Amino acid sequence: MSSDLIKEFLDEKSLKALSELLSAEDISTVKESSILVAQAFNATGDAFQLIANAGDSAEDKLISSFNNNLVLLIQKTWVEKSDEELKAQVLYHLKEFEGLIQAKSYVASYKPFLEIVDTVVYLMFGSQTKTKDFDEYALRIDPEFGIFWWYIKSLPANVSWSEDKTRIAILLGMYFLANY
């Protein structure tokens, strides 16, 4: 996504927060940055702050909301006949992911999370997601979703982060989808 385009929707503070989230090793910096990114998703209140600061009950509620919302979103999304199997596969992968995340296996959950999000977005928007203009399209039709998509596409495909940092990265994405 072009930096000029995203600057139309986000302030410098939010852009810096994502950069710090991705590059920081210090977990307190990662948490502070993630809270600012959550605010860029148009989150209100301090709900993500509770989750980021290892609030087990808040995290459990987030996982439950995420799963419920994503299952509903997947089931309610109309798809072409050729994508019905993909829809069933992503529901199966979501169940596997739920087991990993409940076991607090964040590093093991990272790649499956990105794959699930990518597949769900494909089911929602179709082949348009594979075009170079999709990022701009997403921002223009739904800025909150576009900012979330910017966040997801900013995450590296493979990481060697700590469990804590990986936890924050995944939960931040789940936070948006749980409230979408």
Side-chain angles (χ1 to χ4, degrees):
M1 181 174 300
S2 89
S3 60
D4 290 340
L5 177 62
I6 197 67
K7 286 179 182 176
E8 291 179 32
F9 295 88
L10 288 175
D11 59 16
E12 207 51 50
K13 181 175 83 168
S14 299
L15 295 170
K16 184 179 177 201
L18 179 65
S19 179
E20 287 178 351
L21 173 71
L22 297 175
S23 64
E25 306 246 348
D26 174 60
I27 196 63
S28 64
T29 302
V30 169
K31 287 178 182 179
E32 289 170 19
S33 298
S34 70
I35 292 164
L36 293 174
V37 173
Q39 291 170 352
F41 293 161
N42 200 21
T44 56
D46 59 359
F48 192 74
Q49 185 172 1
L50 295 172
I51 296 161
N53 291 321
D56 284 340
S57 66
E59 185 173 327
D60 291 344
K61 184 178 179 191
L62 172 66
I63 292 168
S64 176
S65 293
F66 167 79
N67 282 319
N68 292 340
N69 275 8
L70 217 54
V71 166
L72 187 62
L73 183 64
I74 294 164
Q75 289 175 340
K76 297 294 181 189
T77 299
W78 181 89
V79 297
E80 297 288 337
K81 189 85 169 150
S82 59
D83 287 331
E84 285 294 331
E85 188 174 320
L86 184 60
K87 198 172 178 179
Q89 285 175 356
V90 77
L91 286 168
Y92 174 78
H93 291 301
L94 183 59
K95 220 171 221 352
E96 289 180 326
F97 171 77
E98 183 180 8
L100 288 171
I101 206 79
Q102 285 179 340
K104 310 292 186 201
S105 299
Y106 302 105
V107 171
S109 303
Y110 182 81
K111 195 165 182 93
F113 173 71
L114 292 179
E115 290 168 356
I116 288 166
V117 169
D118 194 56
T119 303
V120 169
V121 171
Y122 171 80
L123 290 172
M124 290 170 60
F125 293 97
S127 60
Q128 185 169 3
T129 60
K130 307 300 181 196
T131 67
K132 64 181 175 111
D133 297 333
F134 181 70
D135 298 343
E136 180 176 355
Y137 173 78
L139 274 168
R140 301 238 185 254
I141 64 158
D142 184 347
E144 289 176 17
F145 177 80
I147 292 167
F148 163 74
W149 190 241
W150 160 77
Y151 168 72
I152 292 297
K153 289 304 180 184
S154 297
L155 293 173
N158 297 299
V159 295
S160 56
W161 294 337
S162 68
E163 284 284 335
D164 282 342
K165 181 173 180 171
T166 308
R167 173 187 170 269
I168 295 295
I170 292 170
L171 294 179
L172 184 54
M174 289 174 69
Y175 183 73
F176 176 83
L177 289 170
N179 296 296
Y180 186 61

PDB file of all heavy atoms in Angstrom, residues 52-88:
ATOM      1  N   ALA A  52      -4.026  -6.453  25.855  1.00  0.00           N
ATOM      2  CA  ALA A  52      -2.579  -6.378  25.650  1.00  0.00           C
ATOM      3  C   ALA A  52      -1.816  -6.609  26.948  1.00  0.00           C
ATOM      4  O   ALA A  52      -0.751  -7.220  26.947  1.00  0.00           O
ATOM      5  CB  ALA A  52      -2.194  -5.028  25.051  1.00  0.00           C
ATOM      6  N   ASN A  53      -2.370  -6.143  28.039  1.00  0.00           N
ATOM      7  CA  ASN A  53      -1.689  -6.276  29.321  1.00  0.00           C
ATOM      8  C   ASN A  53      -1.987  -7.599  30.009  1.00  0.00           C
ATOM      9  O   ASN A  53      -2.011  -7.687  31.219  1.00  0.00           O
ATOM     10  CB  ASN A  53      -2.021  -5.087  30.219  1.00  0.00           C
ATOM     11  CG  ASN A  53      -1.388  -3.825  29.697  1.00  0.00           C
ATOM     12  OD1 ASN A  53      -0.261  -3.839  29.214  1.00  0.00           O
ATOM     13  ND2 ASN A  53      -2.108  -2.729  29.762  1.00  0.00           N
ATOM     14  N   ALA A  54      -2.222  -8.620  29.204  1.00  0.00           N
ATOM     15  CA  ALA A  54      -2.353  -9.999  29.671  1.00  0.00           C
ATOM     16  C   ALA A  54      -3.541 -10.222  30.598  1.00  0.00           C
ATOM     17  O   ALA A  54      -3.439 -10.977  31.560  1.00  0.00           O
ATOM     18  CB  ALA A  54      -1.059 -10.484  30.325  1.00  0.00           C
ATOM     19  N   GLY A  55      -4.639  -9.584  30.271  1.00  0.00           N
ATOM     20  CA  GLY A  55      -5.857  -9.837  31.032  1.00  0.00           C
ATOM     21  C   GLY A  55      -6.493 -11.117  30.523  1.00  0.00           C
ATOM     22  O   GLY A  55      -7.131 -11.107  29.475  1.00  0.00           O
ATOM     23  N   ASP A  56      -6.271 -12.225  31.231  1.00  0.00           N
ATOM     24  CA  ASP A  56      -6.731 -13.525  30.750  1.00  0.00           C
ATOM     25  C   ASP A  56      -8.225 -13.558  30.455  1.00  0.00           C
ATOM     26  O   ASP A  56      -8.645 -14.098  29.438  1.00  0.00           O
ATOM     27  CB  ASP A  56      -6.362 -14.639  31.733  1.00  0.00           C
ATOM     28  CG  ASP A  56      -4.889 -15.014  31.653  1.00  0.00           C
ATOM     29  OD1 ASP A  56      -4.255 -14.705  30.626  1.00  0.00           O
ATOM     30  OD2 ASP A  56      -4.385 -15.608  32.614  1.00  0.00           O
ATOM     31  N   SER A  57      -9.044 -12.968  31.335  1.00  0.00           N
ATOM     32  CA  SER A  57     -10.481 -13.010  31.078  1.00  0.00           C
ATOM     33  C   SER A  57     -10.830 -12.154  29.862  1.00  0.00           C
ATOM     34  O   SER A  57     -11.694 -12.527  29.066  1.00  0.00           O
ATOM     35  CB  SER A  57     -11.276 -12.583  32.303  1.00  0.00           C
ATOM     36  OG  SER A  57     -11.037 -11.227  32.605  1.00  0.00           O
ATOM     37  N   ALA A  58     -10.159 -11.016  29.698  1.00  0.00           N
ATOM     38  CA  ALA A  58     -10.398 -10.165  28.529  1.00  0.00           C
ATOM     39  C   ALA A  58      -9.950 -10.884  27.258  1.00  0.00           C
ATOM     40  O   ALA A  58     -10.615 -10.814  26.226  1.00  0.00           O
ATOM     41  CB  ALA A  58      -9.666  -8.836  28.679  1.00  0.00           C
ATOM     42  N   GLU A  59      -8.837 -11.567  27.343  1.00  0.00           N
ATOM     43  CA  GLU A  59      -8.340 -12.317  26.186  1.00  0.00           C
ATOM     44  C   GLU A  59      -9.280 -13.470  25.837  1.00  0.00           C
ATOM     45  O   GLU A  59      -9.580 -13.702  24.662  1.00  0.00           O
ATOM     46  CB  GLU A  59      -6.934 -12.858  26.452  1.00  0.00           C
ATOM     47  CG  GLU A  59      -6.320 -13.537  25.263  1.00  0.00           C
ATOM     48  CD  GLU A  59      -4.871 -13.918  25.483  1.00  0.00           C
ATOM     49  OE1 GLU A  59      -4.145 -13.199  26.191  1.00  0.00           O
ATOM     50  OE2 GLU A  59      -4.444 -14.943  24.917  1.00  0.00           O
ATOM     51  N   ASP A  60      -9.750 -14.188  26.830  1.00  0.00           N
ATOM     52  CA  ASP A  60     -10.688 -15.288  26.584  1.00  0.00           C
ATOM     53  C   ASP A  60     -11.971 -14.783  25.928  1.00  0.00           C
ATOM     54  O   ASP A  60     -12.497 -15.410  25.007  1.00  0.00           O
ATOM     55  CB  ASP A  60     -11.023 -16.019  27.887  1.00  0.00           C
ATOM     56  CG  ASP A  60      -9.845 -16.809  28.442  1.00  0.00           C
ATOM     57  OD1 ASP A  60      -8.873 -17.051  27.690  1.00  0.00           O
ATOM     58  OD2 ASP A  60      -9.889 -17.165  29.638  1.00  0.00           O
ATOM     59  N   LYS A  61     -12.454 -13.631  26.387  1.00  0.00           N
ATOM     60  CA  LYS A  61     -13.652 -13.034  25.794  1.00  0.00           C
ATOM     61  C   LYS A  61     -13.386 -12.636  24.341  1.00  0.00           C
ATOM     62  O   LYS A  61     -14.230 -12.841  23.470  1.00  0.00           O
ATOM     63  CB  LYS A  61     -14.098 -11.829  26.615  1.00  0.00           C
ATOM     64  CG  LYS A  61     -15.386 -11.229  26.113  1.00  0.00           C
ATOM     65  CD  LYS A  61     -15.838 -10.068  26.977  1.00  0.00           C
ATOM     66  CE  LYS A  61     -17.120  -9.499  26.386  1.00  0.00           C
ATOM     67  NZ  LYS A  61     -17.510  -8.264  26.967  1.00  0.00           N
ATOM     68  N   LEU A  62     -12.199 -12.082  24.084  1.00  0.00           N
ATOM     69  CA  LEU A  62     -11.831 -11.704  22.722  1.00  0.00           C
ATOM     70  C   LEU A  62     -11.798 -12.927  21.816  1.00  0.00           C
ATOM     71  O   LEU A  62     -12.347 -12.903  20.707  1.00  0.00           O
ATOM     72  CB  LEU A  62     -10.463 -11.012  22.692  1.00  0.00           C
ATOM     73  CG  LEU A  62      -9.898 -10.752  21.291  1.00  0.00           C
ATOM     74  CD1 LEU A  62     -10.751  -9.756  20.534  1.00  0.00           C
ATOM     75  CD2 LEU A  62      -8.459 -10.273  21.388  1.00  0.00           C
ATOM     76  N   ILE A  63     -11.177 -14.004  22.261  1.00  0.00           N
ATOM     77  CA  ILE A  63     -11.085 -15.234  21.462  1.00  0.00           C
ATOM     78  C   ILE A  63     -12.484 -15.747  21.138  1.00  0.00           C
ATOM     79  O   ILE A  63     -12.778 -16.110  19.999  1.00  0.00           O
ATOM     80  CB  ILE A  63     -10.236 -16.300  22.190  1.00  0.00           C
ATOM     81  CG1 ILE A  63      -8.778 -15.846  22.237  1.00  0.00           C
ATOM     82  CG2 ILE A  63     -10.361 -17.657  21.506  1.00  0.00           C
ATOM     83  CD1 ILE A  63      -7.895 -16.666  23.173  1.00  0.00           C
ATOM     84  N   SER A  64     -13.353 -15.748  22.117  1.00  0.00           N
ATOM     85  CA  SER A  64     -14.728 -16.204  21.904  1.00  0.00           C
ATOM     86  C   SER A  64     -15.462 -15.300  20.907  1.00  0.00           C
ATOM     87  O   SER A  64     -16.107 -15.785  19.967  1.00  0.00           O
ATOM     88  CB  SER A  64     -15.464 -16.242  23.239  1.00  0.00           C
ATOM     89  OG  SER A  64     -16.799 -16.596  23.042  1.00  0.00           O
ATOM     90  N   SER A  65     -15.356 -13.989  21.094  1.00  0.00           N
ATOM     91  CA  SER A  65     -16.011 -13.039  20.177  1.00  0.00           C
ATOM     92  C   SER A  65     -15.458 -13.159  18.771  1.00  0.00           C
ATOM     93  O   SER A  65     -16.207 -13.119  17.793  1.00  0.00           O
ATOM     94  CB  SER A  65     -15.826 -11.604  20.669  1.00  0.00           C
ATOM     95  OG  SER A  65     -16.519 -11.399  21.854  1.00  0.00           O
ATOM     96  N   PHE A  66     -14.156 -13.296  18.664  1.00  0.00           N
ATOM     97  CA  PHE A  66     -13.507 -13.450  17.362  1.00  0.00           C
ATOM     98  C   PHE A  66     -14.051 -14.678  16.645  1.00  0.00           C
ATOM     99  O   PHE A  66     -14.465 -14.609  15.491  1.00  0.00           O
ATOM    100  CB  PHE A  66     -11.993 -13.563  17.536  1.00  0.00           C
ATOM    101  CG  PHE A  66     -11.267 -14.020  16.299  1.00  0.00           C
ATOM    102  CD1 PHE A  66     -11.007 -13.132  15.267  1.00  0.00           C
ATOM    103  CD2 PHE A  66     -10.838 -15.331  16.178  1.00  0.00           C
ATOM    104  CE1 PHE A  66     -10.335 -13.552  14.121  1.00  0.00           C
ATOM    105  CE2 PHE A  66     -10.168 -15.756  15.046  1.00  0.00           C
ATOM    106  CZ  PHE A  66      -9.915 -14.866  14.011  1.00  0.00           C
ATOM    107  N   ASN A  67     -14.052 -15.804  17.337  1.00  0.00           N
ATOM    108  CA  ASN A  67     -14.536 -17.044  16.715  1.00  0.00           C
ATOM    109  C   ASN A  67     -16.000 -16.936  16.318  1.00  0.00           C
ATOM    110  O   ASN A  67     -16.379 -17.314  15.209  1.00  0.00           O
ATOM    111  CB  ASN A  67     -14.300 -18.240  17.634  1.00  0.00           C
ATOM    112  CG  ASN A  67     -12.869 -18.695  17.597  1.00  0.00           C
ATOM    113  OD1 ASN A  67     -12.247 -18.739  16.550  1.00  0.00           O
ATOM    114  ND2 ASN A  67     -12.314 -19.018  18.753  1.00  0.00           N
ATOM    115  N   ASN A  68     -16.822 -16.419  17.212  1.00  0.00           N
ATOM    116  CA  ASN A  68     -18.250 -16.279  16.904  1.00  0.00           C
ATOM    117  C   ASN A  68     -18.480 -15.365  15.700  1.00  0.00           C
ATOM    118  O   ASN A  68     -19.252 -15.703  14.802  1.00  0.00           O
ATOM    119  CB  ASN A  68     -19.016 -15.757  18.117  1.00  0.00           C
ATOM    120  CG  ASN A  68     -19.067 -16.759  19.244  1.00  0.00           C
ATOM    121  OD1 ASN A  68     -18.862 -17.958  19.047  1.00  0.00           O
ATOM    122  ND2 ASN A  68     -19.319 -16.279  20.443  1.00  0.00           N
ATOM    123  N   ASN A  69     -17.810 -14.213  15.686  1.00  0.00           N
ATOM    124  CA  ASN A  69     -17.986 -13.269  14.584  1.00  0.00           C
ATOM    125  C   ASN A  69     -17.461 -13.830  13.273  1.00  0.00           C
ATOM    126  O   ASN A  69     -18.084 -13.657  12.225  1.00  0.00           O
ATOM    127  CB  ASN A  69     -17.299 -11.937  14.885  1.00  0.00           C
ATOM    128  CG  ASN A  69     -18.173 -11.017  15.689  1.00  0.00           C
ATOM    129  OD1 ASN A  69     -19.233 -11.394  16.163  1.00  0.00           O
ATOM    130  ND2 ASN A  69     -17.721  -9.793  15.856  1.00  0.00           N
ATOM    131  N   LEU A  70     -16.310 -14.485  13.323  1.00  0.00           N
ATOM    132  CA  LEU A  70     -15.743 -14.998  12.078  1.00  0.00           C
ATOM    133  C   LEU A  70     -16.569 -16.155  11.519  1.00  0.00           C
ATOM    134  O   LEU A  70     -16.793 -16.213  10.302  1.00  0.00           O
ATOM    135  CB  LEU A  70     -14.280 -15.420  12.290  1.00  0.00           C
ATOM    136  CG  LEU A  70     -13.372 -15.122  11.121  1.00  0.00           C
ATOM    137  CD1 LEU A  70     -13.436 -13.670  10.692  1.00  0.00           C
ATOM    138  CD2 LEU A  70     -11.959 -15.507  11.418  1.00  0.00           C
ATOM    139  N   VAL A  71     -17.032 -17.039  12.372  1.00  0.00           N
ATOM    140  CA  VAL A  71     -17.892 -18.132  11.903  1.00  0.00           C
ATOM    141  C   VAL A  71     -19.148 -17.549  11.266  1.00  0.00           C
ATOM    142  O   VAL A  71     -19.538 -17.955  10.168  1.00  0.00           O
ATOM    143  CB  VAL A  71     -18.252 -19.106  13.052  1.00  0.00           C
ATOM    144  CG1 VAL A  71     -19.405 -20.023  12.663  1.00  0.00           C
ATOM    145  CG2 VAL A  71     -17.036 -19.936  13.447  1.00  0.00           C
ATOM    146  N   LEU A  72     -19.758 -16.585  11.917  1.00  0.00           N
ATOM    147  CA  LEU A  72     -20.955 -15.948  11.370  1.00  0.00           C
ATOM    148  C   LEU A  72     -20.641 -15.257  10.044  1.00  0.00           C
ATOM    149  O   LEU A  72     -21.386 -15.406   9.071  1.00  0.00           O
ATOM    150  CB  LEU A  72     -21.511 -14.941  12.379  1.00  0.00           C
ATOM    151  CG  LEU A  72     -22.849 -14.309  12.051  1.00  0.00           C
ATOM    152  CD1 LEU A  72     -23.938 -15.376  11.962  1.00  0.00           C
ATOM    153  CD2 LEU A  72     -23.208 -13.283  13.119  1.00  0.00           C
ATOM    154  N   LEU A  73     -19.546 -14.534   9.993  1.00  0.00           N
ATOM    155  CA  LEU A  73     -19.154 -13.845   8.768  1.00  0.00           C
ATOM    156  C   LEU A  73     -18.932 -14.836   7.626  1.00  0.00           C
ATOM    157  O   LEU A  73     -19.419 -14.632   6.513  1.00  0.00           O
ATOM    158  CB  LEU A  73     -17.873 -13.031   9.017  1.00  0.00           C
ATOM    159  CG  LEU A  73     -17.355 -12.181   7.873  1.00  0.00           C
ATOM    160  CD1 LEU A  73     -18.354 -11.090   7.514  1.00  0.00           C
ATOM    161  CD2 LEU A  73     -16.025 -11.562   8.264  1.00  0.00           C
ATOM    162  N   ILE A  74     -18.243 -15.920   7.916  1.00  0.00           N
ATOM    163  CA  ILE A  74     -17.978 -16.938   6.892  1.00  0.00           C
ATOM    164  C   ILE A  74     -19.283 -17.587   6.428  1.00  0.00           C
ATOM    165  O   ILE A  74     -19.532 -17.731   5.234  1.00  0.00           O
ATOM    166  CB  ILE A  74     -16.993 -18.008   7.420  1.00  0.00           C
ATOM    167  CG1 ILE A  74     -15.616 -17.386   7.667  1.00  0.00           C
ATOM    168  CG2 ILE A  74     -16.885 -19.181   6.448  1.00  0.00           C
ATOM    169  CD1 ILE A  74     -14.692 -18.234   8.532  1.00  0.00           C
ATOM    170  N   GLN A  75     -20.118 -17.968   7.385  1.00  0.00           N
ATOM    171  CA  GLN A  75     -21.366 -18.640   7.035  1.00  0.00           C
ATOM    172  C   GLN A  75     -22.322 -17.731   6.264  1.00  0.00           C
ATOM    173  O   GLN A  75     -23.040 -18.196   5.393  1.00  0.00           O
ATOM    174  CB  GLN A  75     -22.049 -19.176   8.289  1.00  0.00           C
ATOM    175  CG  GLN A  75     -21.328 -20.353   8.890  1.00  0.00           C
ATOM    176  CD  GLN A  75     -21.944 -20.799  10.203  1.00  0.00           C
ATOM    177  OE1 GLN A  75     -22.658 -20.068  10.875  1.00  0.00           O
ATOM    178  NE2 GLN A  75     -21.635 -22.031  10.593  1.00  0.00           N
ATOM    179  N   LYS A  76     -22.342 -16.458   6.576  1.00  0.00           N
ATOM    180  CA  LYS A  76     -23.275 -15.525   5.945  1.00  0.00           C
ATOM    181  C   LYS A  76     -22.761 -14.945   4.631  1.00  0.00           C
ATOM    182  O   LYS A  76     -23.516 -14.307   3.912  1.00  0.00           O
ATOM    183  CB  LYS A  76     -23.615 -14.376   6.896  1.00  0.00           C
ATOM    184  CG  LYS A  76     -24.315 -14.822   8.158  1.00  0.00           C
ATOM    185  CD  LYS A  76     -25.685 -15.379   7.849  1.00  0.00           C
ATOM    186  CE  LYS A  76     -26.390 -15.803   9.119  1.00  0.00           C
ATOM    187  NZ  LYS A  76     -27.602 -16.516   8.883  1.00  0.00           N
ATOM    188  N   THR A  77     -21.481 -15.153   4.346  1.00  0.00           N
ATOM    189  CA  THR A  77     -20.918 -14.620   3.107  1.00  0.00           C
ATOM    190  C   THR A  77     -21.345 -15.488   1.934  1.00  0.00           C
ATOM    191  O   THR A  77     -21.106 -16.696   1.922  1.00  0.00           O
ATOM    192  CB  THR A  77     -19.377 -14.554   3.190  1.00  0.00           C
ATOM    193  OG1 THR A  77     -19.020 -13.683   4.256  1.00  0.00           O
ATOM    194  CG2 THR A  77     -18.775 -14.037   1.896  1.00  0.00           C
ATOM    195  N   TRP A  78     -21.983 -14.843   0.974  1.00  0.00           N
ATOM    196  CA  TRP A  78     -22.380 -15.557  -0.239  1.00  0.00           C
ATOM    197  C   TRP A  78     -21.150 -15.727  -1.093  1.00  0.00           C
ATOM    198  O   TRP A  78     -20.378 -14.792  -1.300  1.00  0.00           O
ATOM    199  CB  TRP A  78     -23.441 -14.763  -0.993  1.00  0.00           C
ATOM    200  CG  TRP A  78     -23.888 -15.479  -2.225  1.00  0.00           C
ATOM    201  CD1 TRP A  78     -24.895 -16.383  -2.309  1.00  0.00           C
ATOM    202  CD2 TRP A  78     -23.334 -15.379  -3.533  1.00  0.00           C
ATOM    203  NE1 TRP A  78     -25.005 -16.864  -3.593  1.00  0.00           N
ATOM    204  CE2 TRP A  78     -24.043 -16.246  -4.374  1.00  0.00           C
ATOM    205  CE3 TRP A  78     -22.292 -14.642  -4.088  1.00  0.00           C
ATOM    206  CZ2 TRP A  78     -23.769 -16.411  -5.716  1.00  0.00           C
ATOM    207  CZ3 TRP A  78     -22.009 -14.796  -5.432  1.00  0.00           C
ATOM    208  CH2 TRP A  78     -22.753 -15.672  -6.226  1.00  0.00           C
ATOM    209  N   VAL A  79     -20.931 -16.946  -1.584  1.00  0.00           N
ATOM    210  CA  VAL A  79     -19.778 -17.222  -2.449  1.00  0.00           C
ATOM    211  C   VAL A  79     -20.231 -17.989  -3.679  1.00  0.00           C
ATOM    212  O   VAL A  79     -21.303 -18.598  -3.690  1.00  0.00           O
ATOM    213  CB  VAL A  79     -18.677 -18.032  -1.716  1.00  0.00           C
ATOM    214  CG1 VAL A  79     -18.097 -17.242  -0.550  1.00  0.00           C
ATOM    215  CG2 VAL A  79     -19.186 -19.376  -1.245  1.00  0.00           C
ATOM    216  N   GLU A  80     -19.400 -17.941  -4.685  1.00  0.00           N
ATOM    217  CA  GLU A  80     -19.638 -18.728  -5.894  1.00  0.00           C
ATOM    218  C   GLU A  80     -19.596 -20.212  -5.532  1.00  0.00           C
ATOM    219  O   GLU A  80     -18.944 -20.610  -4.565  1.00  0.00           O
ATOM    220  CB  GLU A  80     -18.555 -18.432  -6.946  1.00  0.00           C
ATOM    221  CG  GLU A  80     -18.526 -17.003  -7.443  1.00  0.00           C
ATOM    222  CD  GLU A  80     -19.690 -16.659  -8.345  1.00  0.00           C
ATOM    223  OE1 GLU A  80     -20.284 -17.582  -8.950  1.00  0.00           O
ATOM    224  OE2 GLU A  80     -20.025 -15.461  -8.433  1.00  0.00           O
ATOM    225  N   LYS A  81     -20.269 -21.022  -6.300  1.00  0.00           N
ATOM    226  CA  LYS A  81     -20.287 -22.474  -6.078  1.00  0.00           C
ATOM    227  C   LYS A  81     -18.864 -23.028  -5.978  1.00  0.00           C
ATOM    228  O   LYS A  81     -18.577 -23.893  -5.147  1.00  0.00           O
ATOM    229  CB  LYS A  81     -21.060 -23.143  -7.225  1.00  0.00           C
ATOM    230  CG  LYS A  81     -21.334 -24.599  -7.002  1.00  0.00           C
ATOM    231  CD  LYS A  81     -22.586 -24.773  -6.175  1.00  0.00           C
ATOM    232  CE  LYS A  81     -23.016 -26.218  -6.184  1.00  0.00           C
ATOM    233  NZ  LYS A  81     -23.699 -26.571  -4.962  1.00  0.00           N
ATOM    234  N   SER A  82     -17.966 -22.502  -6.799  1.00  0.00           N
ATOM    235  CA  SER A  82     -16.586 -22.979  -6.819  1.00  0.00           C
ATOM    236  C   SER A  82     -15.823 -22.676  -5.523  1.00  0.00           C
ATOM    237  O   SER A  82     -14.801 -23.290  -5.247  1.00  0.00           O
ATOM    238  CB  SER A  82     -15.836 -22.372  -8.007  1.00  0.00           C
ATOM    239  OG  SER A  82     -15.852 -20.961  -7.914  1.00  0.00           O
ATOM    240  N   ASP A  83     -16.335 -21.748  -4.702  1.00  0.00           N
ATOM    241  CA  ASP A  83     -15.661 -21.392  -3.450  1.00  0.00           C
ATOM    242  C   ASP A  83     -16.301 -22.027  -2.209  1.00  0.00           C
ATOM    243  O   ASP A  83     -15.859 -21.779  -1.088  1.00  0.00           O
ATOM    244  CB  ASP A  83     -15.631 -19.868  -3.280  1.00  0.00           C
ATOM    245  CG  ASP A  83     -14.645 -19.196  -4.216  1.00  0.00           C
ATOM    246  OD1 ASP A  83     -13.635 -19.835  -4.573  1.00  0.00           O
ATOM    247  OD2 ASP A  83     -14.886 -18.036  -4.593  1.00  0.00           O
ATOM    248  N   GLU A  84     -17.336 -22.858  -2.410  1.00  0.00           N
ATOM    249  CA  GLU A  84     -17.990 -23.511  -1.265  1.00  0.00           C
ATOM    250  C   GLU A  84     -17.007 -24.383  -0.478  1.00  0.00           C
ATOM    251  O   GLU A  84     -17.034 -24.392   0.749  1.00  0.00           O
ATOM    252  CB  GLU A  84     -19.187 -24.359  -1.726  1.00  0.00           C
ATOM    253  CG  GLU A  84     -20.399 -23.543  -2.106  1.00  0.00           C
ATOM    254  CD  GLU A  84     -21.038 -22.806  -0.935  1.00  0.00           C
ATOM    255  OE1 GLU A  84     -20.959 -23.274   0.214  1.00  0.00           O
ATOM    256  OE2 GLU A  84     -21.623 -21.742  -1.194  1.00  0.00           O
ATOM    257  N   GLU A  85     -16.140 -25.105  -1.180  1.00  0.00           N
ATOM    258  CA  GLU A  85     -15.163 -25.953  -0.497  1.00  0.00           C
ATOM    259  C   GLU A  85     -14.160 -25.107   0.289  1.00  0.00           C
ATOM    260  O   GLU A  85     -13.764 -25.466   1.398  1.00  0.00           O
ATOM    261  CB  GLU A  85     -14.417 -26.847  -1.493  1.00  0.00           C
ATOM    262  CG  GLU A  85     -13.538 -27.869  -0.808  1.00  0.00           C
ATOM    263  CD  GLU A  85     -12.911 -28.853  -1.771  1.00  0.00           C
ATOM    264  OE1 GLU A  85     -13.588 -29.297  -2.720  1.00  0.00           O
ATOM    265  OE2 GLU A  85     -11.729 -29.174  -1.565  1.00  0.00           O
ATOM    266  N   LEU A  86     -13.764 -23.982  -0.275  1.00  0.00           N
ATOM    267  CA  LEU A  86     -12.852 -23.068   0.412  1.00  0.00           C
ATOM    268  C   LEU A  86     -13.489 -22.552   1.703  1.00  0.00           C
ATOM    269  O   LEU A  86     -12.828 -22.436   2.738  1.00  0.00           O
ATOM    270  CB  LEU A  86     -12.481 -21.906  -0.511  1.00  0.00           C
ATOM    271  CG  LEU A  86     -11.463 -20.908   0.009  1.00  0.00           C
ATOM    272  CD1 LEU A  86     -10.129 -21.590   0.325  1.00  0.00           C
ATOM    273  CD2 LEU A  86     -11.261 -19.802  -1.013  1.00  0.00           C
ATOM    274  N   LYS A  87     -14.757 -22.279   1.644  1.00  0.00           N
ATOM    275  CA  LYS A  87     -15.511 -21.828   2.813  1.00  0.00           C
ATOM    276  C   LYS A  87     -15.483 -22.902   3.912  1.00  0.00           C
ATOM    277  O   LYS A  87     -15.232 -22.602   5.083  1.00  0.00           O
ATOM    278  CB  LYS A  87     -16.955 -21.540   2.377  1.00  0.00           C
ATOM    279  CG  LYS A  87     -17.754 -20.696   3.285  1.00  0.00           C
ATOM    280  CD  LYS A  87     -19.082 -20.376   2.583  1.00  0.00           C
ATOM    281  CE  LYS A  87     -19.991 -19.565   3.419  1.00  0.00           C
ATOM    282  NZ  LYS A  87     -21.246 -19.223   2.765  1.00  0.00           N
ATOM    283  N   ALA A  88     -15.696 -24.151   3.532  1.00  0.00           N
ATOM    284  CA  ALA A  88     -15.651 -25.265   4.492  1.00  0.00           C
ATOM    285  C   ALA A  88     -14.243 -25.430   5.052  1.00  0.00           C
ATOM    286  O   ALA A  88     -14.074 -25.686   6.257  1.00  0.00           O
ATOM    287  CB  ALA A  88     -16.129 -26.545   3.831  1.00  0.00           C
TER     288      ALA A  88
END
